[in-house]
């Protein structure tokens, strides 16, 4: 799996904890929203783990390409931009979860 795809997966995992219950409530499945809401920290921790793996994969690929004196496959800028956006999404949703506990 490429680093940018792993970044997208991390952003999806991070957003499941907040967007998932809203979608389930809109569809009429409130009990499913309660289950996801109860286990939201597993999604956030999983998102951070996948995000750390994606950043590590990006930097390993960059170091390998620098040793071989060739450009990165798939575009370095696109991969870096995707990872930065995914990092911001995961941090934003984690911040929403922390805020809900701190001010509750």
């Amino acid at each position: 799996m490429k680093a940018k795809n792993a970044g997208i997966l991390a952003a999806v995992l991070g957003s499941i904890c907040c967007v998932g219950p809203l979608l389930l409530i809109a569809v009429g499945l409130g009990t499913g929203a309660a289950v996801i809401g109860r286990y939201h920290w597993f999604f956030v921790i999983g998102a951070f783990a996948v995000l750390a793996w994606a950043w590590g994969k990006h930097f390993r690929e960059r170091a390998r390409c620098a040793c071989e004196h060739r450009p990165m496959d798939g575009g370095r800028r696109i991969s870096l931009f995707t990872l930065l956006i995914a990092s911001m999404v995961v941090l934003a949703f984690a911040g929403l979860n922390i805020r809900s506990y701190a001010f509750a």
Side-chain angles (χ1 to χ4, degrees), residues 23-45:
L23 292 175
L24 288 175
I25 288 172
V27 176
L29 300 172
T31 56
V35 170
I36 288 178
R38 184 175 300 143
Y39 298 112
H40 69 275
W41 282 110
F42 293 117
F43 293 112
V44 171
I45 291 170

Side-chain angles (χ1 to χ4, degrees), residues 29-91:
L29 300 172
T31 56
V35 170
I36 288 178
R38 184 175 300 143
Y39 298 112
H40 69 275
W41 282 110
F42 293 117
F43 293 112
V44 171
I45 291 170
F48 276 119
V50 172
L51 195 60
W53 177 68
W55 277 107
K57 188 165 179 64
H58 172 74
F59 287 125
R60 278 193 310 266
E61 178 73 17
R62 193 168 90 177
R64 185 175 61 85
C65 290
C67 287
E68 295 176 359
H69 301 291
R70 65 175 183 87
M72 285 180 64
D73 295 336
R76 186 181 82 181
R77 288 186 183 184
I78 293 173
S79 178
L80 186 62
F81 180 73
T82 304
L83 286 174
L84 286 173
I85 295 296
S87 297
M88 287 190 296
V89 167
V90 169
L91 287 174

